[in-house]
């Protein structure tokens, strides 16, 4: 799953964002406006976190 | 008191890293924790303070030192804990998480890290280092170092030593006094030694390359390597409550990432340390077995040398890892374990 941060993402506290999942690099990239692939080991994401993310399908998922 | 018949040995002591939920408070009984596959360790003694001594008074009569003139200096005390451990994926991930906040197995250190330099209260994510049966005060009592910050992590391997097992060495510091009470962990996520059934090994490495900017990937025969990620951690302030002199927080510095490889000296190693692109004299360093992988996309070679060994000359290639200046979100180094 590829994600991009919505405006709401930066309002999430550190115990609800990607820092809480042990993935600070993804957190920083999202804050920098970049798209990030979320590794399967971090799934499923919480509803609150998902709400703050724009999800994009990988091409192979489109098929 | 009579002489004690109790004694401490490394054989009876398990070492755990446990996740804390409150700064300055040791991990709870149900905390997520990992039993580290340590081969050796050390920690500061409980009273590791220095003494502050006032100058001598001039003149005759009572010029020597009284209790008013010598104090145990506890306001700047920092305890240091060093763990040497075998490179299991879980142990490497946990130390990367403690050091730079990435511990999902891809473990990427970015140019924009650390996210926070002032560590206190809710901004803190330190760990408790727990030595099960580590206290000398009584049988079966433990020693906890609360709110430890990882200050250095070295990962190394040598095809001719330690059975080829990749070895980690992590150093933690804390300003909080050690606690001698048992935590009695139960519940929560626990990664035991039995859960860590595989260890990365030099004998399994499939490719080691250096790709100079503007050149091609040079295949190297790797004898040994070392990668060190370090940052400064300083304690801030002190609280004299209950004579604990606990710190009010920590301040951390930027990451310094350096490494070294010892490889067979040949045409490939020669090309690896020859900058093809003089405009950007950097190289990409890669060591991998297909799962375990160290990748430094923008390393700069630092004073290479030759070992004139009987089993063939070897190139020693030290390097410093940087991120591509175009964007702070670029990686300095990746230590993948999955």
């Amino acid at each position: 799953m590829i994600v991009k941060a919505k405006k709401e993402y930066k309002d999430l506290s550190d115990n609800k964002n990607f820092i809480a999942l042990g993935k600070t690099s993804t957190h920083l990239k999202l804050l920098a406006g970049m798209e990030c692939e979320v590794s399967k080991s971090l799934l499923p994401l919480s509803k609150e976190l998902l709400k703050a993310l724009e999800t994009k399908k990988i091409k192979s998922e489109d098929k | 008191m009579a002489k004690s018949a109790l004694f401490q040995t490394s054989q009876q002591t398990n070492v755990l890293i446990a996740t804390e939920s409150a700064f300055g408070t040791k991990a709870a009984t149900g905390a997520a924790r990992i039993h580290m596959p340590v081969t050796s360790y050390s920690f500061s003694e409980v009273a590791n303070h220095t003494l502050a001594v006032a100058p001598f008074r001039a003149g005759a009569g009572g010029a020597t030192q009284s209790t008013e003139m010598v104090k145990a200096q506890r306001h700047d005390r920092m305890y240091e804990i060093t763990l040497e451990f075998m490179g299991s994926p879980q142990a490497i991930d946990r130390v990367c998480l403690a050091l730079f906040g990435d511990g999902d197995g891809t473990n990427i250190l970015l140019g924009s890290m650390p996210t926070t330099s002032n560590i206190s209260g809710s901004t803190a994510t330190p760990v408790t280092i727990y030595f099960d049966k580590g206290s000398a005060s009584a049988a079966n009592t433990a020693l906890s170092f609360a709110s430890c910050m990882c200050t250095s992590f070295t990962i190394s391997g040598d095809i001719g030593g330690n059975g080829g097992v990749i070895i980690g060495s992590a150093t933690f510091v804390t300003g909080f006094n050690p606690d001698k009470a048992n935590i009695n962990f139960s519940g929560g996520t626990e990664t035991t030694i039995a859960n860590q059934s595989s260890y990365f090994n030099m004998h399994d490495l499939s490719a080691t390359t250096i790709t100079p900017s503007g050149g091609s990937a040079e295949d190297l025969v790797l004898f040994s390597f070392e990668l060190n990620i370090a940052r400064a951690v300083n304690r801030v302030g002190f609280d004299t409550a209950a004579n604990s002199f606990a710190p009010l927080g920590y301040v951390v510095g930027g990451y310094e990432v350096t490494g070294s490889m010892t490889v067979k000296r040949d045409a490939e190693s020669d090309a690896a340390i020859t900058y093809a692109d003089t405009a950007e004299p950097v190289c990409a360093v890669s060591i991998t077995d297909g799962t375990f992988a160290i990748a430094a996309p923008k390393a700069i070679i630092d004073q290479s040398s030759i070992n004139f060994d009987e089993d063939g000359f070897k190139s020693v290639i030290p390097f410093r890892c940087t991120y591509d200046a175009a964007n702070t979100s670029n990686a300095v180094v990746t230590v993948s374990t999955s």
Side-chain angles (χ1 to χ4, degrees):
Chain A
M1 180 169 70
I2 292 178
V3 298
K4 197 174 177 185
K6 291 182 188 170
K7 271 194 276 182
E8 298 91 311
Y9 181 79
K10 68 174 189 299
D11 298 327
L12 290 177
S13 59
D14 285 351
N15 60 359
K16 289 174 180 166
N17 60 24
F18 275 97
I19 289 180
L21 299 178
K23 200 59 195 156
T24 302
S25 63
T26 299
H27 169 73
L28 290 170
K29 285 179 178 177
L30 290 172
L31 289 184
M34 298 168 76
E35 290 181 359
C36 295
E37 184 166 355
V38 179
S39 62
K40 282 181 184 172
S41 64
L42 301 181
L43 299 177
L45 302 179
S46 69
K47 282 182 184 173
E48 200 169 1
L49 181 53
L50 269 173
K51 270 186 187 173
L53 298 170
E54 207 176 290
T55 57
K56 303 194 168 194
K57 285 182 179 174
I58 303 173
K59 277 186 180 176
S60 59
E61 291 176 346
D62 290 334
K63 289 174 187 174
Chain B
M1 289 176 73
K3 285 187 176 63
S4 172
L6 305 173
F7 50 89
Q8 293 178 283
T9 63
S10 58
Q11 282 84 351
Q12 68 162 10
T13 307
N14 296 319
V15 184
L16 289 82
I17 298 180
T19 304
E20 293 179 359
S21 53
F23 182 67
T25 304
K26 69 180 180 182
T29 53
R33 59 205 179 271
I34 178 171
H35 294 247
M36 293 296 286
V38 291
T39 56
S40 64
Y41 51 82
S42 64
F43 49 81
S44 300
E45 185 54 288
V46 173
N48 78 337
H49 54 258
T50 56
L51 294 181
V53 181
F56 285 101
R57 288 166 296 171
T64 50
Q65 294 164 339
S66 76
T67 52
E68 295 295 311
M69 300 165 204
V70 181
K71 294 291 178 188
Q73 193 153 302
R74 291 169 291 180
H75 73 284
D76 60 356
R77 180 164 59 184
M78 283 286 256
Y79 298 93
E80 186 173 296
I81 304 100
T82 298
L83 310 178
E84 299 264 347
F85 59 91
M86 289 190 179
S88 71
Q90 296 95 328
I92 292 171
D93 289 351
R94 188 63 189 87
V95 173
C96 287
L97 181 64
L99 183 56
F100 53 87
D102 236 39
D104 72 327
T106 50
N107 308 339
I108 307 169
L109 173 61
L110 300 181
S112 51
M113 291 178 176
T115 50
T116 311
S117 55
N118 291 353
I119 310 291
S120 66
S122 61
T123 62
T125 52
V127 295
T128 293
I129 311 287
Y130 184 71
F131 292 89
D132 182 27
K133 301 181 178 64
S135 173
S137 61
N140 298 324
T141 56
L143 197 61
S144 300
F145 289 92
S147 294
C148 291
M149 298 286 292
C150 189
T151 184
S152 170
F153 178 32
T154 300
I155 189 160
S156 61
D158 184 341
I159 192 85
N162 299 320
V165 174
I166 305 282
I167 299 292
S169 175
T171 301
F172 295 82
V173 291
T174 178
F176 290 91
N177 295 328
D179 181 323
K180 296 173 188 170
N182 290 332
I183 295 184
N184 295 322
F185 286 112
S186 67
T189 306
E190 181 174 37
T191 305
T192 64
I193 293 293
N195 296 140
Q196 300 170 73
S197 55
S198 64
Y199 298 98
F200 297 120
N201 196 297
M202 291 291 288
H203 294 268
D204 300 328
L205 295 182
S206 52
T208 300
T209 59
I210 287 182
T211 310
S213 179
S216 54
E218 307 298 342
D219 289 325
L220 306 172
V221 178
L222 182 69
F223 284 88
S224 64
F225 79 93
E226 182 178 292
L227 179 82
N228 176 254
I229 307 172
R231 63 172 173 179
V233 177
N234 289 297
R235 58 173 286 159
V236 178
F238 54 89
D239 183 353
T240 56
N243 258 345
S244 72
F245 286 86
L248 301 174
Y250 299 113
V251 58
V252 300
Y255 296 96
E256 190 170 23
V257 185
T258 54
S260 180
M261 296 196 294
T262 299
V263 302
K264 181 169 73 70
R265 190 165 192 268
D266 52 30
E268 297 279 321
S269 75
D270 186 49
I273 59 174
T274 304
Y275 290 123
D277 179 359
T278 53
E280 194 188 31
V282 298
C283 60
V285 173
S286 172
I287 299 170
T288 184
D289 69 359
T291 304
F292 171 71
I294 291 174
K298 297 288 178 185
I300 301 171
I301 291 169
D302 180 11
Q303 208 173 21
S304 57
S305 59
I306 304 172
N307 282 352
F308 297 93
D309 295 337
E310 288 297 314
D311 62 343
F313 293 176
K314 299 185 185 80
S315 287
V316 180
I317 309 175
F319 55 87
R320 176 173 289 263
C321 306
T322 63
Y323 68 91
D324 187 330
N327 193 330
T328 56
S329 295
N330 287 326
V332 178
V333 70
T334 301
V335 183
S336 301
T337 61
S338 61

